[in-house]
Amino acid sequence: HLLLFLLFVGPFNCFASYSRATELFYSLNEGLPAGVLIGSLARDLRLPTAGGQHAASLQPPLSFTLASHGLGGQYVQLDNRSGELHTSAVEIDREALCVESSGATIFGGSAAVSSSSPSPESCLLLLDVLVLPQEYFRLVKVKIAIRDVNDNAPRFPVPHIRLSVPENAPVNTRLAIEHPALDPDMGTNGVQTYRLQDNYGVFTLDVEENENGERTPYLIVMGALDRETQDEYVTVIVAEDGGTPPLVGSATLTIGISDINDNCPQFNDSQLNVTLYGNSSLGTHVATVHAVDMDLGSNAQITYSYSQKVPQASRDLFYLNESTGVITLSTKVDGDTPRLHRLIILGNGPGCIPAVITVLVTIIKVMMRPPEVVPRFIANEVEGVVYLKELEPINTPIAFFTIKDPDEKYKVSCYLDGDGPFRLSPYKPYNNEYLLETTKPLDFETQQLYEISVVAWNSEGFHVKKVVKVQVLDDNDNSPVFSEQLIELSIEENNVPNAFLTKLHATDADSGERGQVSYFLGPDAPSYFALDKTTGVLTVSTQLDREEKEKYRYTVKAVDSGFPPRESIATVTITVLDKNDNSPRFINKDFSFFVPENFPGFGEIGVISVTDADAGQNGWVALSVLNGSDIFVIDTGKGVLRAKVSLDREQQSSYVLWIEAVDGGDPALSSTAKITILLLDINDNPPLVLFPQSNMSYLLVLPSTLPGSPITEVYAVDKDTGMNAVIAYSIIGRRGPRPESFRIDPKTGNITLEESLMQNDYGLYRLLVKVSDHGYPEPLHSTVMVNLFVNDTVSNESYIESLLRKEPDISVEEKQPQISIEPTHKKMESASCMPTLVALSIISLGSIALVTGMGIYICLRKGKKHHRADENLEVQIPLNGRINLHMLERKPMEISNI
């Protein structure tokens, strides 16, 4: 529509100047990826935008548009502004695009404009491109020739080629192979050569090319052929194209050698000598001649005939079967019959000179007739063969035999000749009647055919023999027998599905269908085992897991095809062998152990339980400490965790360890577990007095101090936690003018003045303060001497120091301070946490450990609020009274335990 609009609306002068059809020719290889440049229409059309210098001045700018998006449009992408033509994401397949092309023209070089038209055999993409605006309007016909690449291998239409060659084919005989290889590629990329993988020294290949360029392979005979020596040759014919690198395809080539009549009949002997009694009956077998022809089919057909040299009398006396070569007596021998006959017999083949054999028949004159043996069969008999089933009972009758002398002159007797479970006995009360019967059951598997003879002779010593053949018929009397009654198998776990286990084998001594064995799984076999009914191949359809089940035991049956069928049973045991497919597994991923501090070195902290579902060495587990190995050690066999040294909670309150468990497989598997060791506090630290710093320090107390005023304080800390760190203060010894004038707060350690000081109360007061914790079972304590000097001034320091050096004579008062810990942020009263813990222990014995821990935790938190600024016991000493720092003695504090 756009084209029509431009044709009728646009100025005709512009149309006449620029609107003309133009052809551009490009070529490119098939199978290129997207984005490959095919060509630039603007440059190749020499439009003003080709240089790019005046592109900005063109208003409106040039645009390029595909006139239609047909089959060719899907293979290219056209830039509307620049006019560059690129390959699209749809790959170009020359063989699919040009299925009807018989060839391909390959232009030289890369994709470029061609001044000449492509070959008519080329595979072309045709595109119509409109160049706008109207001033530069053009209809450009773009032809893109697709060059062939060698991306297809030769392929024979059939996998098996059969060729027939007569055995008398002369050398250089050429036979076309009717199924040449096909290659969709063109030119030299198509099929170029053929070769034989094995030419047996008598064949080669040649290739002929017709007018259409089709190449047909020919088989050439290079040597003499003889079907009787080798009747078939099997080789592989290989087709190769001319690409770089070349690709090949192959098929099986069977060369059959057809027969020609190049062999004639031959007798193994040149003469046979035969003796015939004169009293022989008609139809008596005289002789059999047999010739051999090495050819096949009609070329090997042989007929027998008498030579013209054989007298007519001999021909009348002896009948020759022309097909079988059997000679029989056809007329009675009498006194005029010649005693010697020379029978010349010819073996005739098509197109051959007859083979010759001579049969000399000598007739012996007999003066008396031989005894006669007349059988009457009771058992099933066909053409002299008696058929008896095996396992027939003893004394099964076979036949009656009547023995007589035709001349009725001589006494005739008989006996049984031959091996076998048979007996010939007179059948009384009749004369000359004999019964042939079995003496024990027959067994087909032991012997299938018996040949026995009933021999009759008269008093003159003349013998007559009657041959009887007994064929034993098979019965289904044998069950299948497994080669092993217990079939022991093993397979590694994690096997592939349908893995082969074994091939069962059972034999059945019976014949025919009765001996054909089928295999079945027993009812106790799991459903994921399969047994091929015919081959006896035992497979397992799923992966086996030794950790789920290590041993399988079930039965299999072998059943024959008799009626009724017989079967036998064998037992299959399968042991699933272990593979290292399970990592060691800890009972818990996180272990927590509560250990009292000062626990002795190498004492048992706890047991780390780990298991590995694998067996043997794959299930051996070794434990090791990944971190903290300088302090902790683990018994790799028992999993017992120990500390090499005694642990001090005050140095470190908890430890986090990572334990690795490694099994003994190859490659080894491992897993890790987190171990948390929490140290329980033991009252192993007495309170540490931080103030006063020395027993020799003193403080000046003015006599004007009002009762209730704070004088100083004793400040101590305890490194333990919980009740072990709750500190109580008490004065256990006093010395001074009126020592009861001072008291100490048991909770805070503040020392206050109880009563007003009088004139006679001046002097040195020495207070022995006991600082005790509430540890269990035994509290620890420290003591410190608090020296107070009541006076208006310190006029003689040396005198005071001399008093301090004297050992004070103080009597110790044993009073236990009472402290209560409130559950709020108020001041702590005189009750202890211990009664609470005891009460809770009595109420719930089962939860005593948990309740005790909670009580300790609460007490610890409360005590910390009043005595410490943080959990690390890094404290600042608060002074509740005014302290004259000039009065402090800078000497080490002396602490004595009472």
Side-chain angles (χ1 to χ4, degrees):
H1 296 93
L2 177 63
L3 177 60
L4 292 175
F5 176 81
L6 294 174
L7 289 174
F8 290 99
V9 179
F12 288 97
N13 57 344
C14 294
F15 178 81
S17 301
Y18 296 101
S19 179
R20 64 183 181 275
T22 305
E23 286 190 352
L24 293 179
F25 302 102
Y26 299 99
S27 64
L28 76 160
N29 291 341
E30 62 173 325
L32 294 177
V36 175
L37 178 65
I38 300 173
S40 175
L41 273 64
R43 182 189 65 229
D44 297 335
L45 292 173
R46 296 181 177 84
L47 294 177
T49 58
Q53 298 178 356
H54 306 289
S57 62
L58 290 176
Q59 293 294 335
L62 288 176
S63 69
F64 301 84
T65 308
L66 289 175
S68 63
H69 295 276
L71 177 64
Q74 64 178 325
Y75 297 105
V76 297
Q77 287 184 338
L78 177 62
D79 190 305
N80 293 338
R81 295 300 180 189
S82 66
E84 289 185 347
L85 199 62
H86 295 83
T87 57
S88 70
V90 181
E91 184 178 294
I92 299 176
D93 184 359
R94 186 185 187 282
E95 289 73 37
L97 187 64
C98 302
V99 291
E100 297 182 356
S101 283
S102 59
T105 300
I106 302 178
F107 296 113
S110 60
V113 179
S114 174
S115 59
S116 60
S117 299
S119 168
E121 294 181 344
S122 297
C123 178
L124 298 177
L125 279 180
L126 303 178
L127 305 173
D128 289 339
V129 180
L130 296 177
V131 182
L132 298 175
Q134 180 181 349
E135 291 85 351
Y136 299 96
F137 172 77
R138 295 190 185 199
L139 173 62
V140 182
K141 291 188 174 293
V142 179
K143 296 182 180 180
I144 303 174
I146 308 303
R147 294 195 298 254
D148 184 45
V149 298
N150 191 28
D151 56 347
N152 293 279
R155 183 176 178 271
F156 286 90
V158 292
H160 191 283
I161 303 172
R162 187 168 186 87
L163 195 64
S164 180
V165 181
E167 62 176 325
N168 63 341
V171 176
N172 294 325
T173 298
R174 300 169 65 87
L175 296 100
I177 297 176
E178 297 180 357
H179 300 285
L182 304 177
D183 193 328
D185 296 324
M186 306 306 296
T188 57
N189 291 333
V191 179
Q192 298 297 315
T193 61
Y194 291 86
R195 68 176 185 273
L196 293 177
Q197 201 171 75
D198 185 0
N199 58 20
Y200 294 95
V202 293
F203 298 105
T204 188
L205 287 178
D206 190 18
V207 181
E208 291 186 2
E209 185 175 355
N210 60 16
E211 297 176 353
N212 297 327
E214 296 176 348
R215 295 174 180 265
T216 303
Y218 281 81
L219 181 72
I220 303 177
V221 180
M222 300 298 294
L225 304 176
D226 185 6
R227 188 205 63 80
E228 288 72 33
T229 303
Q230 185 169 350
D231 61 353
E232 186 178 76
Y233 297 86
V234 180
T235 184
V236 175
I237 182 172
V238 179
E240 184 176 305
D241 63 21
T244 304
L247 302 178
V248 298
S250 63
T252 301
L253 177 63
T254 301
I255 306 169
I257 309 303
S258 59
D259 184 52
I260 63 168
N261 191 26
D262 58 346
N263 290 279
C264 289
Q266 290 184 349
F267 288 106
N268 292 331
D269 300 312
S270 61
Q271 181 172 310
L272 292 177
N273 297 319
V274 179
T275 300
L276 181 68
Y277 289 104
N279 60 351
S280 299
S281 58
L282 297 179
T284 300
H285 178 269
V286 177
T288 299
V289 294
H290 181 68
V292 177
D293 192 321
M294 298 298 293
D295 293 325
L296 291 176
S298 60
N299 294 331
Q301 290 183 354
I302 301 174
T303 59
Y304 302 94
S305 62
Y306 285 123
S307 170
Q308 297 294 329
K309 297 179 181 180
V310 178
Q312 188 63 40
S314 296
R315 295 188 185 199
D316 295 338
L317 182 63
F318 301 104
Y319 169 74
L320 172 63
N321 189 309
E322 66 176 6
S323 299
T324 63
V326 175
I327 304 172
T328 56
L329 184 65
S330 59
T331 59
K332 274 284 189 179
V333 177
D334 55 23
D336 298 330
T337 302
R339 295 294 178 257
L340 181 63
H341 296 266
R342 183 185 298 275
L343 305 178
I344 301 174
I345 300 174
L346 307 179
N348 305 295
C352 289
I353 299 174
V356 180
I357 187 172
T358 301
V359 179
L360 291 178
V361 181
T362 301
I363 299 177
I364 300 175
K365 185 177 180 180
V366 178
M367 299 304 296
M368 60 180 178
R369 292 186 293 175
E372 293 182 357
V373 179
V374 181
R376 288 171 293 166
F377 292 98
I378 302 172
N380 183 28
E381 178 267 341
V382 178
E383 296 182 356
V385 179
V386 178
Y387 295 91
L388 290 178
K389 289 185 178 181
E390 65 174 334
L391 302 181
E392 288 282 0
I394 300 175
N395 301 326
T396 297
I398 299 174
F400 279 113
F401 289 89
T402 302
I403 311 299
K404 60 182 180 178
D405 180 16
D407 298 327
E408 299 182 354
K409 296 180 180 180
Y410 307 99
K411 181 180 179 180
V412 180
S413 300
C414 72
Y415 65 91
L416 187 65
D417 184 25
D419 296 328
F422 306 102
R423 176 176 57 215
L424 183 66
S425 57
Y427 190 73
K428 297 181 180 180
Y430 304 102
N431 293 326
N432 297 332
E433 294 286 344
Y434 293 86
L435 176 64
L436 179 63
E437 58 186 356
T438 61
T439 59
K440 63 179 182 180
L442 303 177
D443 186 4
F444 175 86
E445 288 71 38
T446 303
Q447 188 169 344
Q448 293 87 36
L449 181 65
Y450 295 90
E451 187 171 317
I452 55 177
S453 300
V454 177
V455 181
W457 82 97
N458 59 18
S459 55
E460 295 297 320
F462 197 87
H463 290 73
V464 174
K465 181 184 293 185
K466 182 64 177 180
V467 177
V468 178
K469 294 182 179 180
V470 179
Q471 177 68 55
V472 182
L473 300 178
D474 188 29
D475 199 359
N476 193 30
D477 59 336
N478 291 277
S479 299
V481 178
F482 280 100
S483 56
E484 295 177 295
Q485 285 299 309
L486 178 61
I487 304 164
E488 296 179 320
L489 308 173
S490 63
I491 183 174
E492 279 194 342
E493 63 176 332
N494 304 330
N495 55 281
V496 297
N498 301 315
F500 173 83
L501 292 175
T502 189
K503 183 176 183 180
L504 303 181
H505 181 65
T507 56
D508 194 315
D510 295 323
S511 64
E513 292 184 355
R514 292 171 291 272
Q516 293 179 0
V517 180
S518 300
Y519 302 90
F520 301 93
L521 291 172
D524 54 346
S527 60
Y528 39 83
F529 288 95
L531 180 59
D532 189 279
K533 175 182 177 181
T534 305
T535 63
V537 173
L538 181 63
T539 57
V540 56
S541 61
T542 187
Q543 281 191 347
L544 299 180
D545 187 358
R546 188 204 66 82
E547 289 73 37
E548 182 178 331
K549 190 172 184 180
E550 183 176 6
K551 288 188 177 294
Y552 295 86
R553 185 183 181 93
Y554 53 86
T555 56
V556 291
K557 294 191 299 183
V559 182
D560 64 22
S561 302
F563 183 80
R566 301 174 70 97
E567 66 180 38
S568 62
I569 296 177
T571 300
V572 175
T573 62
I574 301 174
T575 301
V576 183
L577 303 179
D578 185 55
K579 291 181 72 175
N580 192 30
D581 58 343
N582 289 277
S583 300
R585 183 176 180 182
F586 290 93
I587 293 180
N588 299 311
K589 294 303 291 182
D590 294 320
F591 291 84
S592 295
F593 297 107
F594 295 87
V595 182
E597 65 173 330
N598 302 329
F599 195 69
F602 292 97
E604 181 178 322
I605 295 175
V607 177
I608 311 300
S609 298
V610 62
T611 60
D612 194 314
D614 293 322
Q617 185 172 345
N618 294 332
W620 295 349
V621 179
L623 298 174
S624 61
V625 181
L626 295 180
N627 61 328
S629 59
D630 54 338
I631 299 177
F632 297 93
V633 66
I634 191 167
D635 187 334
T636 188
K638 298 179 180 179
V640 177
L641 181 64
R642 306 175 190 273
K644 299 178 182 179
V645 296
S646 179
L647 304 177
D648 187 358
R649 190 205 64 79
E650 285 70 40
Q651 292 183 2
Q652 187 170 341
S653 61
S654 65
Y655 296 87
V656 177
L657 306 180
W658 289 95
I659 303 297
E660 182 182 40
V662 181
D663 63 22
D666 185 19
L669 301 178
S670 64
S671 61
T672 57
K674 179 182 178 183
I675 312 297
T676 302
I677 301 173
L678 300 173
L679 297 182
L680 301 178
D681 185 47
I682 292 178
N683 192 27
D684 58 345
N685 290 281
L688 176 63
V689 178
L690 300 178
F691 186 84
Q693 296 179 350
S694 171
N695 287 339
M696 301 300 291
S697 62
Y698 64 93
L699 179 67
L700 175 64
V701 180
L702 298 177
S704 60
T705 303
L706 298 178
S709 298
I711 305 301
T712 185
E713 72 169 343
V714 176
Y715 185 74
V717 295
D718 195 315
K719 293 183 180 179
D720 295 322
T721 60
M723 297 302 297
N724 295 332
V726 176
I727 297 175
Y729 301 89
S730 62
I731 298 175
I732 61 172
R734 303 169 185 265
R735 183 177 179 83
R738 192 154 57 98
E740 64 275 3
S741 300
F742 299 95
R743 68 176 295 272
I744 189 167
D745 189 306
K747 293 182 292 183
T748 64
N750 288 336
I751 299 176
T752 59
L753 181 64
E754 285 290 295
E755 301 173 355
S756 298
L757 298 173
M758 303 301 177
Q759 185 66 35
N760 55 355
D761 293 336
Y762 285 32
L764 181 63
Y765 290 79
R766 307 197 75 176
L767 305 178
L768 181 59
V769 178
K770 178 180 179 182
V771 184
S772 176
D773 61 24
H774 282 66
Y776 180 84
E778 184 68 29
L780 302 179
H781 67 273
S782 301
T783 60
V784 66
M785 188 69 73
V786 178
N787 302 305
L788 302 175
F789 184 63
V790 179
N791 202 0
D792 292 325
T793 60
V794 179
S795 58
N796 191 352
E797 289 187 9
S798 59
Y799 170 71
I800 297 173
E801 291 176 359
S802 65
L803 293 177
L804 294 176
R805 292 191 190 96
K806 294 180 180 180
E807 186 69 27
D809 183 11
I810 299 176
S811 60
V812 177
E813 304 172 1
E814 285 295 337
K815 290 184 179 181
Q816 292 296 332
Q818 298 296 323
I819 301 177
S820 64
I821 301 176
E822 297 179 358
T824 65
H825 295 283
K826 297 179 181 180
K827 291 184 178 181
M828 299 175 64
E829 296 181 357
S830 60
S832 174
C833 288
M834 290 304 295
T836 303
L837 296 178
V838 173
L840 291 174
S841 301
I842 296 174
I843 293 172
S844 178
L845 293 176
S847 305
I848 187 170
L850 178 60
V851 174
T852 303
M854 293 176 62
I856 293 173
Y857 177 78
I858 292 172
C859 294
L860 175 61
R861 298 282 293 183
K862 298 301 181 181
K864 285 181 180 179
K865 293 181 181 293
H866 294 279
H867 297 284
R868 293 175 299 278
D870 56 28
E871 292 181 358
N872 295 327
L873 300 180
E874 297 176 359
V875 300
Q876 297 177 353
I877 303 174
L879 298 179
N880 294 341
R882 295 186 298 273
I883 300 176
N884 190 342
L885 298 179
H886 298 286
M887 306 296 290
L888 295 179
E889 179 69 34
R890 294 178 176 81
K891 294 183 179 179
M893 180 179 63
E894 297 178 3
I895 299 177
S896 61
N897 291 330
I898 300 177

